[in-house]
Amino acid sequence: MKHVLAVLVENKPGALTRVSGLFSRRGFNIENIAVGETLTPGISRMTITVEGSETLIEQVMKQLHKLINVIKVSNLSAEPSVMRELMLIKVRAEVGNRSDIQQIVETFRGKVVDVSPNSMVIEVTGNEEKMEAIKLLLEHFGIMEVVRTGKVALLRGSKITRET
Amino acid sequence: MRKKKIKGSNMILSALQKENVDIIFGFPGGAVLPLYDKLYDDPVKHLLVRHEQAAVHAADGYARVTGKPGVVFATSGPGATNLVTGIANAYMDSVPMVLFTGQVAKSFIGTDAFQEADITGITIPVTKHNYLVKDAAELPGILAEAFYIASTGRRGPVLIDIPKDVFDQEGYFDYNREVDIRGYKPNYEGHVGQVSRAVKAIRKAKKPVIFGGGGLIRAGASEALRELAETAKIPVILSLMGLGAYPGDSPLFLGMPGMHGSVTANYALTEADLIIATGVRFDDRVTGKLESFANNASIIHIDIDPAEIGKNVAIDIPIVGDVRLVLEELVKKLRPGSTDAWLKQISTWQSQFPMPLGSGKNGQSLKPQFVIRELSRLGGENAIVATDVGQHQMWAAQHFVVREPQTFLTSGGLGTMGYGFPAAIGARLAAPDKRVICITGDGSFQMNIQELATVVHNDFDMIIAVINNRYLGMVRQWQDIFYEKRYSYTSMEGSPDFVRVAEAYGAKAFRATTNEEATAAIEKALTLKGPVLIDFMVDPEENVYPMVAPNHSISDIIIGGERI
């Protein structure tokens, strides 16, 4: 099963290396990872997607917690949460099929963020299924390049992932 | 009024003073010159070794004996990389240590400068934490954090890498040992509910056994362990790292478990209905095949490191906390127990399966087991033993009677050949009143043989017992048993005459080839001052038994080539 972990870390040099190194040396697989600042200066939040059994995830969380720069580790998959990812897709687009592409993009509530004589760049956010679905539909036109941010997530409701 | 600014180097030496550091183990070089220059006028002692790896192992031995962090100085580049094995060794065995490495000046970092190596990057996986200091203003905080992290929670090595210009940079030195690190709050008190559950389980158990490890020694939990064992009449098994946490000559002591453990210890773990695991991490050398490990037992696991609980073996009652505090809580709540039937079963095993003393096939030859037993019988009183790694290490663990905690130093997790001799040097400085015996092998000894210069120059009293079988014995044993005696590159042919080598360095040395000579050499060495080497020419093809083959159940034991 896939688990999404929220990891709050002190924003110190090497903190990301410490976290990613831990995954590789203990044989845990990171599916994706997204890092950004939090409301508190000096603290970053990593959102890490890991595939594994409950026992493995427990071990991953405990090992992460042992890193001195790691302040808090929580498993967002264990509770209701919203998860989103942003993807940019560069797709082949001639004058003749631009409106077809436009229609698909609108259906997925995406945006066209760049147009050239023979390509378009589309921005779309959502969960994994949505990403896969739009990719599938655009394949027919020819996808030239894709870039994804990795998942970010928050708990639903007023509950927050605290730093203590 | 604000204090005067001081240099980075002075901050380090002042911090060492505040941390009551009385000895530094080190080796100088270009990038640490500014620090060594300040050391020239400082009252703190510094032991100059002959290779940086020996400095870490010596600091490790010192830390295991005193419980205080060992302190190491080394230079950048090769100086720093030479420390890596020793750091990994200390990390695996949870030894407190603070290491200082010089680094090329800040403006050179990242340019592949002379003697530049990214030592913080290299040591992330083998340190509890590490730092690269970019500004002397950060130094006081980092120094206090480093000592705090190294010596609290699950102990471990912390490295501080300091660019050459930062040693000379000036700043204010406000040192506060009370550090508060947001991401580091070890939990010391065991959970009350879990402790009660453990007490109930112990009262109910018919066949309980205590399985203790190095955590007992780091936590100073020997007395609490003894009370628990003796109040509730529970037999004690100790891992290699735990030896000494409970007296090796007590009738309740069953020896070491696992691959080369006693038959009784392995049978007891297999038959037990309750295992009280304290300060252990269920290493593969202990558990053997996990699926058949202790299938009849509920397991209580007490450890300071939550990540160890449930890592290898499923646990019924987990207790995260300082093992001494938790054991003391358990003792308070326990009533004297009766486990007579179980103890009777155990003593039957003990008399049925004594520790084997060596195969008789070579008749007259000197047996390594005999040598260890003589060392223990004649020199074991008030002694600290440091071993290297291999067959002699296992024989030492099996046959040397270790009575006190912090007196048996061995590389357990990493299995580092070359550890023992420098660790003995650390022990020598840590405990001036104790006898120090280094038990090594002809293979291991050559991995740090250069430290003969250090012990001779400093006139350290110690016995270096080389169990010389002219082989990398443990590897040869595996080739014997699992690779049809194809002894691929395990012969140590070409080794020097250790007696003459020791003499060339200025140490006293003898050779023993028979039982009588062995006994006489030990007796003589015990009367001498300074370093004494004894070259014990033992049976070259003696194997360590009992043995559990890797990934076999620990009740599936081989002695002398036969399954019992």
Side-chain angles (χ1 to χ4, degrees), chain A residues 18 25 63-70, chain B residues 87-88 90-92 94-97 99 123-131 145-159 181 183-186 188 304-305:
Chain A
R18 289 176 203 278
R25 73 175 173 271
Q63 292 294 348
L64 280 169
H65 206 80
K66 274 172 74 170
L67 297 175
I68 307 290
N69 294 145
V70 170
Chain B
I87 298 173
Y91 184 64
M92 286 284 262
S94 310
V95 178
M97 194 179 286
L99 305 106
T123 57
I124 283 176
V126 293
T127 49
K128 191 169 170 187
H129 196 53
N130 65 20
Y131 301 87
E145 276 189 21
F147 276 93
Y148 178 71
I149 291 170
S151 55
T152 55
R154 180 175 180 174
R155 315 293 198 265
V158 177
L159 180 138
I181 305 165
Y184 179 70
K185 308 267 186 233
Y188 296 106
I304 189 81
D305 181 358

Side-chain angles (χ1 to χ4, degrees), chain B residues 472-519:
Chain B
L472 298 173
M474 187 58 94
V475 187
R476 187 207 51 77
Q477 173 168 345
W478 282 52
Q479 290 170 336
D480 176 2
I481 299 173
F482 305 116
Y483 294 89
E484 299 154 340
K485 287 190 191 285
R486 289 156 53 84
Y487 294 163
S488 181
Y489 299 99
T490 41
S491 166
M492 284 278 98
E493 209 172 290
S495 293
D497 176 333
F498 292 116
V499 170
R500 286 173 63 198
V501 169
E503 284 170 352
Y505 273 101
K508 298 171 203 81
F510 321 112
R511 177 164 295 113
T513 52
T514 63
N515 288 5
E516 295 68 35
E517 284 175 15
T519 307

Side-chain angles (χ1 to χ4, degrees), chain B residues 113-136:
Chain B
F114 177 64
Q115 293 196 329
E116 181 185 359
D118 172 16
I119 198 64
T120 45
I122 289 169
T123 57
I124 283 176
V126 293
T127 49
K128 191 169 170 187
H129 196 53
N130 65 20
Y131 301 87
L132 170 61
V133 187
K134 294 279 187 63
D135 187 330

Side-chain angles (χ1 to χ4, degrees), chain A:
Chain A
M1 187 193 154
K2 276 180 194 164
H3 296 260
V4 177
L5 306 180
V7 184
L8 298 180
V9 299
E10 287 181 290
N11 199 359
K12 294 261 171 89
L16 181 60
T17 317
R18 289 176 203 278
V19 171
S20 56
L22 173 76
F23 277 81
S24 64
R25 73 175 173 271
R26 293 224 174 241
F28 308 144
N29 284 320
I30 299 184
E31 197 125 309
N32 57 59
I33 183 167
V35 193
E37 280 183 6
T38 62
L39 285 175
T40 317
I43 294 186
S44 295
R45 177 168 172 141
M46 298 183 181
T47 309
I48 305 175
T49 311
V50 202
E51 169 91 46
S53 65
E54 293 291 332
T55 330
L56 182 102
I57 298 303
E58 190 188 321
Q59 185 59 207
V60 170
M61 292 177 69
K62 283 171 166 179
Q63 292 294 348
L64 280 169
H65 206 80
K66 274 172 74 170
L67 297 175
I68 307 290
N69 294 145
V70 170
I71 296 166
K72 167 101 184 203
V73 186
S74 46
N75 187 349
L76 299 183
S77 308
E79 290 179 71
S81 48
V82 269
M83 299 183 188
R84 290 289 180 274
E85 188 176 3
L86 185 144
M87 176 165 68
L88 297 175
I89 313 171
K90 188 174 284 181
V91 65
R92 270 185 223 292
E94 312 296 336
V95 182
N97 58 17
R98 269 191 205 144
S99 60
D100 292 351
I101 294 173
Q102 192 85 39
Q103 251 182 357
I104 293 171
V105 172
E106 272 163 27
T107 315
F108 282 86
R109 293 188 204 162
K111 265 193 280 184
V112 175
V113 289
D114 182 66
V115 185
S116 81
N118 41 25
S119 74
M120 288 167 98
V121 175
I122 291 146
E123 172 195 311
V124 58
T125 55
N127 59 23
E128 208 160 339
E129 293 83 60
K130 185 169 159 186
M131 302 284 145
E132 292 309 316
I134 191 167
K135 252 171 65 191
L136 192 74
L137 288 171
L138 292 175
E139 239 160 43
H140 160 71
F141 303 96
I143 297 176
M144 300 162 73
E145 204 175 6
V146 164
V147 62
R148 298 168 72 155
T149 57
K151 225 176 267 175
V152 292
L154 283 180
L155 290 173
R156 286 189 185 274
S158 58
K159 209 172 152 192
I160 62 168
T161 306
R162 284 181 200 282
E163 286 153 24
T164 50

